[in-house]
């Protein structure tokens, strides 16, 4: 989980194309350091294992509620917001690579369909249209940026909605955005064969 709390609370600068890594802090968040330790251990046991990263929230300066917790969404009032979000993710991927962890699959949002304003954990809400804009712009930015700095471009997973029936509602917008390699879902309810079949048919893959 590519957590945001404490990593880049204030924008490193106003140019997403030039990253000031001195303004990022990946060691203050114990969740991040523990996950790297665990991932490296897993890789040592099985060098062919694949790592899947998931973004829980944009950094607080890019959130409408000014906080990485309690929902909110990406604010487009910040200049180059989609690219700035991409830079934040790029910094995470570089930090992981520098620590011997390469991300093979990447979800740009976690349960964007869940009304999370009342929950005190890292989260962000995105409508299907908002998700479309992120996958078109932010994923597109990452596809250009990562090869230029020697980081493999991961396969982009769709947002991890809370159940398959909600994922179905994001499919048309995300297919229109491009940059989606496969669809995925969390599964707390609605787990019928018919619902999975419907989502599969809609996704086209």
């Amino acid at each position: 989980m590519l957590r945001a709390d404490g990593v880049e609370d204030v924008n490193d600068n106003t140019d997403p194309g030039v990253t000031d890594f001195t303004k990022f802090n990946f060691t203050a968040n114990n969740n991040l350091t523990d996950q790297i330790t665990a991932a490296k251990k897993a890789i040592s046991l099985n060098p062919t294992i694949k790592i899947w990263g998931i973004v829980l929230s944009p950094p607080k300066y890019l959130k409408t509620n000014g906080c990485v917790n309690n929902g909110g969404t990406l604010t487009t009032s910040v200049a180059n917001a989609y690219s700035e979000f991409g830079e934040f993710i790029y910094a995470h991927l570089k930090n992981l690579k520098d620590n011997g962890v390469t991300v093979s699959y990447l979800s740009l949002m976690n349960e964007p369909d869940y009304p999370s304003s009342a929950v005190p954990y890292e989260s962000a809400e995105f409508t299907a249209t908002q998700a479309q804009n992120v996958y078109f712009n932010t994923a597109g930015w990452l596809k250009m940026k990562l090869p230029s700095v020697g980081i493999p471009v991961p396969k982009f997973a769709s947002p991890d909605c809370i159940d398959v029936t909600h994922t179905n509602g994001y499919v048309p917008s995300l297919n229109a955005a491009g940059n989606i390699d496969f669809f995925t879902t969390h599964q707390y309810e609605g787990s019928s064969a018919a619902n999975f079949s419907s989502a599969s048919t809609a996704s086209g893959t």
Side-chain angles (χ1 to χ4, degrees), residues 16-129:
V18 179
T19 305
D20 182 356
F21 287 102
T22 67
K23 302 294 178 62
F24 290 79
N25 187 345
F26 292 102
T27 59
N29 191 318
N30 290 337
N31 287 292
L32 294 176
T33 55
D34 289 349
Q35 286 181 130
I36 288 174
T37 300
K40 291 172 72 174
K41 178 63 174 178
I43 293 167
S44 74
L45 295 171
N46 178 7
T48 65
I49 198 170
K50 302 297 184 185
I51 303 298
W52 189 335
I54 180 167
V55 182
L56 300 182
S57 169
K60 62 174 60 177
Y61 81 90
L62 278 174
K63 291 288 291 297
T64 54
N65 63 352
C67 179
V68 298
N69 298 333
N70 301 107
T73 193
L74 180 74
T75 178
T76 55
S77 63
V78 173
N80 305 307
Y82 295 109
S83 299
E84 293 285 2
F85 189 26
E87 183 189 24
F88 166 76
I89 297 168
Y90 153 58
H92 264 290
L93 297 179
K94 183 180 185 301
N95 178 62
L96 288 167
K97 185 173 183 289
D98 289 347
N99 279 279
V101 179
T102 298
V103 172
S104 296
Y105 310 111
L106 180 64
S107 300
L108 298 185
M109 49 195 68
N110 176 63
E111 296 180 355
D113 54 318
Y114 185 70
S116 50
S117 61
V119 295
Y121 55 71
E122 288 199 22
S123 55
E125 299 173 28
F126 295 87
T127 65
T129 299

Side-chain angles (χ1 to χ4, degrees), residues 183-202:
F183 285 87
T184 183
T185 181
H186 292 171
Q187 196 55 33
Y188 293 99
E189 58 188 32
S191 55
S192 70
N195 286 340
F196 274 100
S197 178
S198 174
S200 177
T201 299

Side-chain angles (χ1 to χ4, degrees), residues 128-176:
T129 299
Q130 289 171 320
Q132 178 182 12
N133 289 330
V134 169
Y135 273 82
F136 178 79
N137 293 290
T138 301
W141 186 90
L142 287 166
K143 281 186 169 182
M144 291 188 296
K145 177 68 175 184
L146 297 180
S148 72
V149 291
I151 298 177
V153 178
K155 297 288 187 183
F156 287 101
S158 72
D160 298 282
C161 289
I162 202 161
D163 76 71
V164 69
T165 61
H166 292 192
T167 298
N168 207 6
Y170 283 73
V171 166
S173 295
L174 291 171
N175 274 337

